[in-house]
Amino acid sequence: IYAMGNNVVFESTTDGTRRYLEGLDDGGVGCVAVHPEKKMFAVGGRGFQPKIYIYSYPELKIVNVLSGGAERGYSNLSYNAHGNKLASVAMAPDYMLTVWDWKRELIELHSKAFGQDVFNVKFSKDDDRRLTTSGTGHIRFWKMASTFTGYKLQGSIGKFGKVELSDICALDEMPDGKVVSGTESGSMLLWEGNFIKCRFVQVGGKQCHDGEITYIELD
């Protein structure tokens, strides 16, 4: 399942056949995310005041509609490990990070993620109070902190230090809470807190990949 133009595409890995689901917002489809149980999926729209539509699968029936998380479009969506929360990041001009109670169609937490494009949002695999976002020239580590007025999102910007500043398109979290990210140059970075613990390259100092790393998934 992936987004393409104004459609969500379901492509069979066995025979290559495709099914199409047309987007409902006037600017097309921005992103999709599959629920951990794989019985539903979320579609983030593009356009004026777009919505997030939760569909059942394989029936493709709308079961929930989420409003108010973006002004012009969604760039990424992510469910937590239990599937009861959904995180979204918005495109320009607002770049908002939102945590949803999607079953009740309610915004739980809402904060500006960054001042430039945000490509990714991911929940921690074992702690729903932690998230990571990344995008143009940044990575940011979030926690849901308890305050006198309730829970709020607090984000710490990753410090590149002596490593060249980079757009970050891909990231994933290790079992111990450290985060692995890609870079534009093709090396991989290991983050502990908001600092780089080490940089992965091949023997002899060659980059891990020729060009930008765009996808990382750790089992």
Side-chain angles (χ1 to χ4, degrees), residues 125 172-175 215-219:
K125 294 176 181 177
D172 205 357
E173 185 182 286
M174 299 176 68
Y215 186 81
I216 293 174
E217 184 171 355
L218 304 173
D219 292 329

Side-chain angles (χ1 to χ4, degrees), residues 62-116:
I62 295 175
V63 293
N64 296 93
V65 179
L66 313 181
S67 304
E71 293 182 23
R72 292 293 184 272
Y74 293 94
S75 59
N76 198 242
L77 302 170
S78 178
Y79 284 99
N80 66 343
H82 299 293
N84 62 320
K85 297 183 187 296
L86 180 71
S88 66
V89 283
M91 300 174 178
D94 50 317
Y95 307 116
M96 296 300 292
L97 166 63
T98 306
V99 178
W100 303 84
D101 179 342
W102 62 267
K103 291 183 180 179
R104 295 196 295 161
E105 301 181 355
L106 295 176
I107 291 175
E108 289 192 346
L109 296 168
H110 201 50
S111 178
K112 191 175 184 70
F114 199 61
Q116 293 178 283

Side-chain angles (χ1 to χ4, degrees), residues 138-157:
H138 80 284
I139 185 170
R140 195 165 192 175
F141 306 93
W142 298 87
K143 62 180 181 180
M144 301 178 193
S146 180
T147 69
F148 289 111
T149 56
Y151 277 98
K152 291 186 177 179
L153 284 167
Q154 295 181 348
S156 298
I157 291 287

Side-chain angles (χ1 to χ4, degrees), residues 112-167:
K112 191 175 184 70
F114 199 61
Q116 293 178 283
D117 287 339
V118 184
F119 308 145
N120 273 312
V121 58
K122 280 196 175 183
F123 277 98
S124 166
K125 294 176 181 177
D126 59 2
D127 186 350
D128 292 342
R129 296 170 298 178
R130 299 201 320 268
L131 304 98
T132 306
T133 57
S134 70
T136 301
H138 80 284
I139 185 170
R140 195 165 192 175
F141 306 93
W142 298 87
K143 62 180 181 180
M144 301 178 193
S146 180
T147 69
F148 289 111
T149 56
Y151 277 98
K152 291 186 177 179
L153 284 167
Q154 295 181 348
S156 298
I157 291 287
K159 308 294 185 182
F160 283 85
K162 295 182 180 179
V163 175
E164 183 180 2
L165 188 71
S166 174
D167 294 352

Side-chain angles (χ1 to χ4, degrees), residues 16-82:
T17 57
R18 294 179 179 179
R19 297 172 63 195
Y20 295 89
L21 175 67
E22 189 173 351
L24 298 178
D25 290 306
D26 57 13
V29 175
C31 51
V32 295
V34 177
H35 190 274
E37 295 179 356
K38 297 182 172 58
K39 295 179 180 179
M40 60 188 66
F41 60 95
V43 178
R46 292 185 181 188
F48 180 74
Q49 297 295 324
K51 296 178 174 59
I52 298 172
Y53 303 92
I54 312 294
Y55 288 86
S56 62
Y57 184 84
E59 300 84 5
L60 306 186
K61 301 295 185 183
I62 295 175
V63 293
N64 296 93
V65 179
L66 313 181
S67 304
E71 293 182 23
R72 292 293 184 272
Y74 293 94
S75 59
N76 198 242
L77 302 170
S78 178
Y79 284 99
N80 66 343
H82 299 293

